[in-house]
Amino acid sequence: MNVREENELGYGNGSALNGNGSSSIGMYGQDGAGDAGLIGQNGSPIYESSQGKQSQQLADRRVLFMGPPRSGKTSILSMIFEDMMAYDTLGMMPTQQQVAYQMVGGITFYDFPGIDYYSETHSTMPDTAVFEGEHTSLVFVIDSQGDLQTALATLHGVIRTAQSVNPQIPINVFINKVDSLSEELKHDIHHDIQQNVWKTMRYDNLNSSMVQFFLTSIFEGVVNEAMSRVIQSLVPHRSSLQTILDSLCSKSGLDKVFLFDVATRVYVAVDSSPTDPQIYKFACQTLEAMDYVGELCQEYVQPNEEGMVKQKVTFDLEGGIRVFIYQVNTYLSLLCVGNTQVIRQKSLLEFNGSKVAKAIRQILPS
């Protein structure tokens, strides 16, 4: 992989949001045509990124991480938010109290102690109030190689409780620790769990349309993509962000554009075209490499007036694919994927990137 990184001071000029919430970004297309303007939304300061911390108050936008003891939920969160290596999480002690992790858009992830209905020594169901709110999402982690009967019984109890107070709560089932399983066995376990959950929910007259399933493993890099999909319904001004990224794609001739939270490698917005898992894998690897390069270069470049060094990075990947990264602020970066010919039009990408970055900073201020 060839890497070329450039650093420069300051941001490109861009238009401000109008009082009615519209934003004329002023991008140019490959044919030189300008952009008539994109629709944005003016919001109050909502961006926060911090280390994991304990908290008893629930945030408005929240993801509840639950599951049986030793299902791997704490390992997932520690790897994403505390940047732990996968193998370093294997000997972690079970979670004894609620822990919170905050990220972009004011979204907070809560790690709850393990739930086991059949054990007197482990925690039972949290207070029903945690499931309330239109911006609440539930993740239930199951050990694919553990006691599935007990895990499913616990999951059914959690779903019944959650939907009794919030029928529209999104429920995301992480079928975890699948790294050592064959593709056939992964498919069988996924199918059996899915059918079991849907059958039980139909019997209890519950809304099964709110449930989706993910095969996850901390060793295969698929957890970040699952987390990205979980938070999509919680990101503020999601439709406006997607409109901006769609326009950047069309004007610059790109195949795919992500808006990443760099620290967690979780994307908070993406254009509307289908996402190829392989492209997402490339994107995460690129961000990881950018972190290493940035650490090497930062001591040689002075930060701008906003206290940050703006990074623009181009990566060459196999198959004629190029990745262009444009930093939005300290926490967010645009990651653009296209063919080699498109990414070579660097001046166009930098111009459009500066306009889009300014619009995003106005929608998700730091």
Side-chain angles (χ1 to χ4, degrees):
M1 179 183 294
N2 297 322
V3 181
R4 182 170 74 253
E5 171 165 331
E6 299 178 8
N7 298 277
E8 69 179 20
L9 304 181
Y11 291 115
N13 293 325
S15 60
L17 284 176
N18 300 324
N20 60 4
S22 65
S23 171
S24 180
I25 295 179
M27 290 190 292
Y28 284 92
Q30 294 173 294
D31 57 358
D35 192 343
L38 301 175
I39 301 300
Q41 296 185 32
N42 191 11
S44 58
I46 49 179
Y47 186 91
E48 183 175 6
S49 180
S50 67
Q51 297 289 335
K53 59 183 181 179
Q54 296 181 7
S55 174
Q56 295 301 319
Q57 296 183 343
L58 295 179
D60 178 51
R61 300 178 185 272
R62 56 184 182 267
V63 180
L64 313 175
F65 253 72
M66 300 182 183
R70 297 295 183 183
S71 59
K73 55 186 177 59
T74 302
S75 294
I76 292 173
L77 292 171
S78 298
M79 210 179 84
I80 290 178
F81 290 101
E82 299 181 17
D83 204 24
M84 292 182 66
M85 299 297 292
Y87 284 103
D88 294 336
T89 68
L90 297 181
M92 296 183 67
M93 297 297 294
T95 303
Q96 299 298 325
Q97 56 184 338
Q98 176 184 306
V99 180
Y101 300 88
Q102 294 177 324
M103 66 168 295
V104 61
I107 300 172
T108 303
F109 289 75
Y110 291 96
D111 184 13
F112 287 84
I115 303 173
D116 186 348
Y117 282 167
Y118 300 125
S119 174
E120 298 179 356
T121 60
H122 289 105
S123 173
T124 55
M125 181 66 61
D127 188 85
T128 57
V130 303
F131 300 107
E132 298 176 351
E134 61 176 320
H135 300 303
T136 301
S137 183
L138 170 66
V139 173
F140 192 92
V141 184
I142 293 177
D143 181 355
S144 63
Q145 303 180 57
D147 184 353
L148 291 181
Q149 183 177 358
T150 299
L152 288 173
T154 304
L155 170 60
H156 296 322
V158 171
I159 291 176
R160 281 193 295 269
T161 302
Q163 290 201 352
S164 69
V165 296
N166 187 358
Q168 299 302 312
I169 184 172
I171 299 168
N172 308 277
V173 180
F174 282 15
I175 306 171
N176 199 31
K177 304 182 183 181
V178 299
D179 45 278
S180 62
L181 304 180
S182 67
E183 290 301 318
E184 182 179 1
L185 187 53
K186 288 179 186 178
H187 177 271
D188 290 343
I189 292 176
H190 180 279
H191 178 269
D192 290 345
I193 290 176
Q194 180 176 272
Q195 293 302 312
N196 183 291
V197 171
W198 285 349
K199 180 179 179 181
T200 305
M201 292 185 72
R202 285 195 299 268
Y203 181 81
D204 291 339
N205 293 319
L206 298 174
N207 184 6
S208 60
S209 67
M210 301 305 296
V211 184
Q212 56 182 343
F213 302 84
F214 301 90
L215 291 170
T216 60
S217 167
I218 58 176
F219 296 103
E220 296 182 345
V222 294
V223 167
N224 297 74
E225 183 179 6
M227 293 283 273
S228 298
R229 293 174 62 183
V230 165
I231 69 168
Q232 290 307 293
S233 63
L234 304 180
V235 175
H237 317 308
R238 176 192 174 192
S239 60
S240 296
L241 291 170
Q242 187 176 79
T243 299
I244 291 173
L245 299 188
D246 281 342
S247 183
L248 177 59
C249 260
S250 62
K251 292 296 180 183
S252 304
L254 298 166
D255 297 328
K256 196 70 185 172
V257 178
F258 298 92
L259 177 62
F260 269 98
D261 177 80
V262 178
T264 62
R265 290 188 284 278
V266 170
Y267 64 80
V268 300
V270 65
D271 69 275
S272 59
S273 64
T275 301
D276 184 347
Q278 193 65 23
I279 292 295
Y280 178 78
K281 181 179 179 180
F282 283 150
C284 286
Q285 292 173 345
T286 303
L287 286 175
E288 188 173 3
M290 190 189 77
D291 287 343
Y292 295 139
V293 174
E295 290 174 1
L296 293 174
C297 296
Q298 64 183 0
E299 61 180 297
Y300 301 108
V301 183
Q302 294 297 319
N304 63 14
E305 64 276 8
E306 298 185 4
M308 64 174 284
V309 175
K310 188 174 72 174
Q311 297 176 328
K312 295 179 295 182
V313 191
T314 304
F315 284 81
D316 292 321
L317 302 176
E318 296 179 357
I321 298 175
R322 267 196 170 190
V323 173
F324 176 77
I325 296 177
Y326 194 97
Q327 188 171 10
V328 174
N329 57 26
T330 307
Y331 313 107
L332 297 171
S333 285
L334 288 166
L335 191 146
C336 310
V337 181
N339 60 49
T340 301
Q341 183 177 359
V342 169
I343 302 297
R344 277 177 180 166
Q345 302 179 37
K346 194 172 180 184
S347 59
L348 174 65
L349 283 174
E350 290 181 8
F351 180 83
N352 287 346
S354 68
K355 301 301 182 182
V356 168
K358 182 164 186 177
I360 292 172
R361 288 195 296 272
Q362 292 170 331
I363 293 174
L364 292 177
S366 57

PDB file of all heavy atoms in Angstrom, residues 59-79:
ATOM      1  N   ALA A  59     -28.325   9.407  28.638  1.00  0.00           N
ATOM      2  CA  ALA A  59     -28.343  10.403  27.583  1.00  0.00           C
ATOM      3  C   ALA A  59     -29.592  10.239  26.732  1.00  0.00           C
ATOM      4  O   ALA A  59     -30.211   9.173  26.694  1.00  0.00           O
ATOM      5  CB  ALA A  59     -27.093  10.257  26.719  1.00  0.00           C
ATOM      6  N   ASP A  60     -29.963  11.297  26.026  1.00  0.00           N
ATOM      7  CA  ASP A  60     -31.161  11.252  25.188  1.00  0.00           C
ATOM      8  C   ASP A  60     -30.974  10.263  24.034  1.00  0.00           C
ATOM      9  O   ASP A  60     -31.861   9.465  23.736  1.00  0.00           O
ATOM     10  CB  ASP A  60     -31.459  12.646  24.643  1.00  0.00           C
ATOM     11  CG  ASP A  60     -32.667  12.657  23.718  1.00  0.00           C
ATOM     12  OD1 ASP A  60     -33.719  12.136  24.128  1.00  0.00           O
ATOM     13  OD2 ASP A  60     -32.550  13.162  22.586  1.00  0.00           O
ATOM     14  N   ARG A  61     -29.823  10.315  23.366  1.00  0.00           N
ATOM     15  CA  ARG A  61     -29.502   9.380  22.286  1.00  0.00           C
ATOM     16  C   ARG A  61     -28.594   8.302  22.857  1.00  0.00           C
ATOM     17  O   ARG A  61     -27.440   8.586  23.198  1.00  0.00           O
ATOM     18  CB  ARG A  61     -28.827  10.124  21.125  1.00  0.00           C
ATOM     19  CG  ARG A  61     -29.699  11.218  20.526  1.00  0.00           C
ATOM     20  CD  ARG A  61     -28.982  11.973  19.416  1.00  0.00           C
ATOM     21  NE  ARG A  61     -29.796  13.086  18.952  1.00  0.00           N
ATOM     22  CZ  ARG A  61     -30.722  13.013  17.995  1.00  0.00           C
ATOM     23  NH1 ARG A  61     -30.901  11.858  17.367  1.00  0.00           N
ATOM     24  NH2 ARG A  61     -31.428  14.054  17.645  1.00  0.00           N
ATOM     25  N   ARG A  62     -29.104   7.084  22.958  1.00  0.00           N
ATOM     26  CA  ARG A  62     -28.347   6.056  23.669  1.00  0.00           C
ATOM     27  C   ARG A  62     -28.496   4.680  23.030  1.00  0.00           C
ATOM     28  O   ARG A  62     -29.521   4.362  22.430  1.00  0.00           O
ATOM     29  CB  ARG A  62     -28.769   5.997  25.139  1.00  0.00           C
ATOM     30  CG  ARG A  62     -30.255   5.759  25.382  1.00  0.00           C
ATOM     31  CD  ARG A  62     -30.567   5.812  26.879  1.00  0.00           C
ATOM     32  NE  ARG A  62     -31.964   5.548  27.182  1.00  0.00           N
ATOM     33  CZ  ARG A  62     -32.883   6.500  27.316  1.00  0.00           C
ATOM     34  NH1 ARG A  62     -32.554   7.770  27.160  1.00  0.00           N
ATOM     35  NH2 ARG A  62     -34.138   6.193  27.618  1.00  0.00           N
ATOM     36  N   VAL A  63     -27.436   3.907  23.173  1.00  0.00           N
ATOM     37  CA  VAL A  63     -27.428   2.513  22.753  1.00  0.00           C
ATOM     38  C   VAL A  63     -27.174   1.669  23.995  1.00  0.00           C
ATOM     39  O   VAL A  63     -26.176   1.861  24.695  1.00  0.00           O
ATOM     40  CB  VAL A  63     -26.334   2.246  21.699  1.00  0.00           C
ATOM     41  CG1 VAL A  63     -26.362   0.780  21.286  1.00  0.00           C
ATOM     42  CG2 VAL A  63     -26.514   3.148  20.485  1.00  0.00           C
ATOM     43  N   LEU A  64     -28.078   0.735  24.283  1.00  0.00           N
ATOM     44  CA  LEU A  64     -27.990  -0.106  25.471  1.00  0.00           C
ATOM     45  C   LEU A  64     -27.354  -1.439  25.093  1.00  0.00           C
ATOM     46  O   LEU A  64     -27.915  -2.184  24.287  1.00  0.00           O
ATOM     47  CB  LEU A  64     -29.388  -0.336  26.056  1.00  0.00           C
ATOM     48  CG  LEU A  64     -30.284   0.908  26.207  1.00  0.00           C
ATOM     49  CD1 LEU A  64     -31.682   0.496  26.693  1.00  0.00           C
ATOM     50  CD2 LEU A  64     -29.662   1.926  27.160  1.00  0.00           C
ATOM     51  N   PHE A  65     -26.187  -1.729  25.662  1.00  0.00           N
ATOM     52  CA  PHE A  65     -25.501  -2.998  25.388  1.00  0.00           C
ATOM     53  C   PHE A  65     -25.828  -3.978  26.506  1.00  0.00           C
ATOM     54  O   PHE A  65     -25.434  -3.774  27.657  1.00  0.00           O
ATOM     55  CB  PHE A  65     -23.991  -2.781  25.302  1.00  0.00           C
ATOM     56  CG  PHE A  65     -23.461  -2.858  23.904  1.00  0.00           C
ATOM     57  CD1 PHE A  65     -23.730  -1.840  22.998  1.00  0.00           C
ATOM     58  CD2 PHE A  65     -22.725  -3.946  23.467  1.00  0.00           C
ATOM     59  CE1 PHE A  65     -23.259  -1.887  21.703  1.00  0.00           C
ATOM     60  CE2 PHE A  65     -22.251  -4.014  22.168  1.00  0.00           C
ATOM     61  CZ  PHE A  65     -22.506  -2.989  21.287  1.00  0.00           C
ATOM     62  N   MET A  66     -26.531  -5.055  26.167  1.00  0.00           N
ATOM     63  CA  MET A  66     -26.922  -6.069  27.138  1.00  0.00           C
ATOM     64  C   MET A  66     -26.592  -7.450  26.602  1.00  0.00           C
ATOM     65  O   MET A  66     -26.314  -7.634  25.419  1.00  0.00           O
ATOM     66  CB  MET A  66     -28.417  -5.961  27.458  1.00  0.00           C
ATOM     67  CG  MET A  66     -28.837  -4.628  28.051  1.00  0.00           C
ATOM     68  SD  MET A  66     -30.613  -4.583  28.452  1.00  0.00           S
ATOM     69  CE  MET A  66     -30.763  -2.898  29.027  1.00  0.00           C
ATOM     70  N   GLY A  67     -26.666  -8.424  27.485  1.00  0.00           N
ATOM     71  CA  GLY A  67     -26.402  -9.800  27.091  1.00  0.00           C
ATOM     72  C   GLY A  67     -26.023 -10.630  28.293  1.00  0.00           C
ATOM     73  O   GLY A  67     -25.792 -10.107  29.385  1.00  0.00           O
ATOM     74  N   PRO A  68     -25.941 -11.944  28.131  1.00  0.00           N
ATOM     75  CA  PRO A  68     -25.525 -12.819  29.231  1.00  0.00           C
ATOM     76  C   PRO A  68     -24.066 -12.545  29.610  1.00  0.00           C
ATOM     77  O   PRO A  68     -23.307 -11.964  28.828  1.00  0.00           O
ATOM     78  CB  PRO A  68     -25.682 -14.230  28.641  1.00  0.00           C
ATOM     79  CG  PRO A  68     -26.582 -14.076  27.464  1.00  0.00           C
ATOM     80  CD  PRO A  68     -26.312 -12.717  26.923  1.00  0.00           C
ATOM     81  N   PRO A  69     -23.670 -12.940  30.813  1.00  0.00           N
ATOM     82  CA  PRO A  69     -22.257 -12.820  31.199  1.00  0.00           C
ATOM     83  C   PRO A  69     -21.368 -13.582  30.208  1.00  0.00           C
ATOM     84  O   PRO A  69     -21.744 -14.635  29.698  1.00  0.00           O
ATOM     85  CB  PRO A  69     -22.220 -13.451  32.599  1.00  0.00           C
ATOM     86  CG  PRO A  69     -23.631 -13.377  33.095  1.00  0.00           C
ATOM     87  CD  PRO A  69     -24.500 -13.512  31.886  1.00  0.00           C
ATOM     88  N   ARG A  70     -20.199 -13.016  29.923  1.00  0.00           N
ATOM     89  CA  ARG A  70     -19.189 -13.627  29.041  1.00  0.00           C
ATOM     90  C   ARG A  70     -19.635 -13.716  27.585  1.00  0.00           C
ATOM     91  O   ARG A  70     -19.092 -14.515  26.823  1.00  0.00           O
ATOM     92  CB  ARG A  70     -18.812 -15.032  29.545  1.00  0.00           C
ATOM     93  CG  ARG A  70     -18.162 -15.049  30.926  1.00  0.00           C
ATOM     94  CD  ARG A  70     -16.835 -14.337  30.898  1.00  0.00           C
ATOM     95  NE  ARG A  70     -16.127 -14.390  32.174  1.00  0.00           N
ATOM     96  CZ  ARG A  70     -14.971 -13.789  32.418  1.00  0.00           C
ATOM     97  NH1 ARG A  70     -14.409 -13.065  31.456  1.00  0.00           N
ATOM     98  NH2 ARG A  70     -14.394 -13.876  33.593  1.00  0.00           N
ATOM     99  N   SER A  71     -20.603 -12.901  27.197  1.00  0.00           N
ATOM    100  CA  SER A  71     -21.030 -12.913  25.797  1.00  0.00           C
ATOM    101  C   SER A  71     -20.091 -12.104  24.911  1.00  0.00           C
ATOM    102  O   SER A  71     -20.110 -12.261  23.684  1.00  0.00           O
ATOM    103  CB  SER A  71     -22.458 -12.365  25.670  1.00  0.00           C
ATOM    104  OG  SER A  71     -22.538 -11.039  26.167  1.00  0.00           O
ATOM    105  N   GLY A  72     -19.286 -11.228  25.508  1.00  0.00           N
ATOM    106  CA  GLY A  72     -18.315 -10.454  24.748  1.00  0.00           C
ATOM    107  C   GLY A  72     -18.691  -9.010  24.518  1.00  0.00           C
ATOM    108  O   GLY A  72     -17.998  -8.294  23.793  1.00  0.00           O
ATOM    109  N   LYS A  73     -19.764  -8.521  25.157  1.00  0.00           N
ATOM    110  CA  LYS A  73     -20.194  -7.142  24.913  1.00  0.00           C
ATOM    111  C   LYS A  73     -19.172  -6.129  25.420  1.00  0.00           C
ATOM    112  O   LYS A  73     -18.904  -5.121  24.733  1.00  0.00           O
ATOM    113  CB  LYS A  73     -21.561  -6.880  25.554  1.00  0.00           C
ATOM    114  CG  LYS A  73     -21.645  -7.184  27.041  1.00  0.00           C
ATOM    115  CD  LYS A  73     -23.059  -7.031  27.572  1.00  0.00           C
ATOM    116  CE  LYS A  73     -23.118  -7.410  29.039  1.00  0.00           C
ATOM    117  NZ  LYS A  73     -22.238  -6.603  29.893  1.00  0.00           N
ATOM    118  N   THR A  74     -18.573  -6.372  26.584  1.00  0.00           N
ATOM    119  CA  THR A  74     -17.576  -5.445  27.117  1.00  0.00           C
ATOM    120  C   THR A  74     -16.312  -5.449  26.267  1.00  0.00           C
ATOM    121  O   THR A  74     -15.680  -4.407  26.069  1.00  0.00           O
ATOM    122  CB  THR A  74     -17.244  -5.801  28.574  1.00  0.00           C
ATOM    123  OG1 THR A  74     -18.456  -5.751  29.356  1.00  0.00           O
ATOM    124  CG2 THR A  74     -16.236  -4.825  29.165  1.00  0.00           C
ATOM    125  N   SER A  75     -15.947  -6.600  25.727  1.00  0.00           N
ATOM    126  CA  SER A  75     -14.786  -6.673  24.837  1.00  0.00           C
ATOM    127  C   SER A  75     -15.013  -5.843  23.585  1.00  0.00           C
ATOM    128  O   SER A  75     -14.102  -5.141  23.113  1.00  0.00           O
ATOM    129  CB  SER A  75     -14.506  -8.128  24.455  1.00  0.00           C
ATOM    130  OG  SER A  75     -14.115  -8.884  25.576  1.00  0.00           O
ATOM    131  N   ILE A  76     -16.223  -5.897  23.031  1.00  0.00           N
ATOM    132  CA  ILE A  76     -16.545  -5.108  21.842  1.00  0.00           C
ATOM    133  C   ILE A  76     -16.399  -3.621  22.130  1.00  0.00           C
ATOM    134  O   ILE A  76     -15.743  -2.880  21.380  1.00  0.00           O
ATOM    135  CB  ILE A  76     -17.974  -5.433  21.365  1.00  0.00           C
ATOM    136  CG1 ILE A  76     -18.057  -6.856  20.821  1.00  0.00           C
ATOM    137  CG2 ILE A  76     -18.436  -4.429  20.308  1.00  0.00           C
ATOM    138  CD1 ILE A  76     -19.468  -7.316  20.487  1.00  0.00           C
ATOM    139  N   LEU A  77     -16.990  -3.168  23.223  1.00  0.00           N
ATOM    140  CA  LEU A  77     -16.943  -1.746  23.553  1.00  0.00           C
ATOM    141  C   LEU A  77     -15.532  -1.290  23.911  1.00  0.00           C
ATOM    142  O   LEU A  77     -15.121  -0.185  23.554  1.00  0.00           O
ATOM    143  CB  LEU A  77     -17.910  -1.454  24.709  1.00  0.00           C
ATOM    144  CG  LEU A  77     -19.396  -1.611  24.366  1.00  0.00           C
ATOM    145  CD1 LEU A  77     -20.255  -1.521  25.619  1.00  0.00           C
ATOM    146  CD2 LEU A  77     -19.837  -0.564  23.348  1.00  0.00           C
ATOM    147  N   SER A  78     -14.778  -2.135  24.609  1.00  0.00           N
ATOM    148  CA  SER A  78     -13.409  -1.774  24.985  1.00  0.00           C
ATOM    149  C   SER A  78     -12.519  -1.661  23.750  1.00  0.00           C
ATOM    150  O   SER A  78     -11.643  -0.791  23.683  1.00  0.00           O
ATOM    151  CB  SER A  78     -12.834  -2.811  25.952  1.00  0.00           C
ATOM    152  OG  SER A  78     -13.578  -2.854  27.151  1.00  0.00           O
ATOM    153  N   MET A  79     -12.733  -2.520  22.782  1.00  0.00           N
ATOM    154  CA  MET A  79     -11.931  -2.475  21.564  1.00  0.00           C
ATOM    155  C   MET A  79     -12.240  -1.225  20.747  1.00  0.00           C
ATOM    156  O   MET A  79     -11.339  -0.588  20.195  1.00  0.00           O
ATOM    157  CB  MET A  79     -12.207  -3.721  20.724  1.00  0.00           C
ATOM    158  CG  MET A  79     -11.028  -4.157  19.882  1.00  0.00           C
ATOM    159  SD  MET A  79     -11.411  -5.645  18.931  1.00  0.00           S
ATOM    160  CE  MET A  79     -12.223  -4.932  17.537  1.00  0.00           C
TER     161      MET A  79
END
